[in-house]
Amino acid sequence: MHKEAKSSYFNMPALDVSVAFPQATPASNFPPCTSDYYQFEDLLTPEEQAVRMKVRECMEKEIAPIMTKYWEKAEFPFEVIPKLGALHIAGGTIKGYGCPGFSITGSAVAVAEVARVDASCSTFILVHSSLAMLTIGLCGSEMQKQKYLPSLAELDTIACWGLTEPDNGSDASGLETTARKVEGGWILEGQKRWIGNSTFADILVIFARNTSTNQINGFIVKKDAPGLQATKIENKIGLRIVQNGDIILKKVFVPDEDRLPGVNSFQDTNKVLAVSRVMVAWQPIGITMGVYDMCHRYLKERKQFGAPLAAFQINQQKLVQMLSNIQAMFLVGWRLCKLYESGKMTPGHASLGKSWITLRARETVALGRELLGGNGILADFQVAKAFCDLEPIYTYEGTYDINTLVTGREITGFASFKPAPLRQKSRL
């Protein structure tokens, strides 16, 4: 029987976005930075400025052209690891052991520049550097620092950080994974969830409850440890490149030499979280910078009714509101760094900074989504991707609500995290 030839109208590959929509430039050709309206560059040291420009150049030229493809497929771009490693930003504030020894401001600025182009890349770096590496740097033995930090600093080996569990998110101090002392080491049993980098990490920093003391201890677990399993969490709408995983530990043996001696209670994890919360506050600063830069260029390129979109009053108003938010966010983030460097930063300071900055960032990115119209839902033009990526950042490292309660506890003296005990009988 004769087969009719199918029309070429059907089953054709998608047009390249630059061909389908030639009036505006996609994010693969990243726009120049135009968001530093109040010239905050002047607040940075020459060293911090140099780090900023080095990271910006790499992200714009090497990373921006490929990230949309990986974001759409929810796959990690392993090809970028050597490029990120060459920046020498992993390890951030850690001094020695091959780490850069940045000021916290320099480390924060580096995080923001990565996030400006791709939020997932910045989360990958944060988990590896500001959580896992910093835990080893602050709480590890001298032997552990020498053994693990140099290769982690080069990104020759990758780390993840396992605190969150299926039943313990905001209430992380109630974690249920256990560590039982045995001859020569420890047996870990339990489950972790939402652990970034976990599906391909070489080492895992795992927190577990000591069955003898009931306190939280920290451990370095190798990826090939018998009884260890890590599987990818599917179907995320944000940070799609980040490989978040479920970790199951079934009688995983950890030798004594890989127990972190500086983690003896949950308070010890707060030493790490104090720094990482500052770093996370700089992610939305970077994200909104990238969204603003994209919108600024787009409004000048895209024309309707015979004029560039930038010529319309309502668009200018939205663009200025975005710019205003970014100036305020940057200043709060910068002040947080200075408080930390001077030893004055409190948990309330860090929590207020993270919660307020992410709140303003959501507003800013939503305005950008409006400005791009139909293209505001395409990852090709950065804004839609950033819109989705910001949602998990709004939640992780302490939700907006939990962070406000941390600050509320500090300014009132009353802790309001847990509800009043349920009563079986009315007091009446």
Side-chain angles (χ1 to χ4, degrees), residues 93-109:
T93 57
I94 301 172
K95 290 179 170 54
Y97 312 101
C99 299
F102 292 147
S103 67
I104 195 169
T105 307
S107 190
V109 164

Side-chain angles (χ1 to χ4, degrees), residues 79-92:
E79 64 190 274
V80 309
I81 290 180
K83 297 171 184 177
L84 295 174
L87 291 174
H88 299 294
I89 59 175

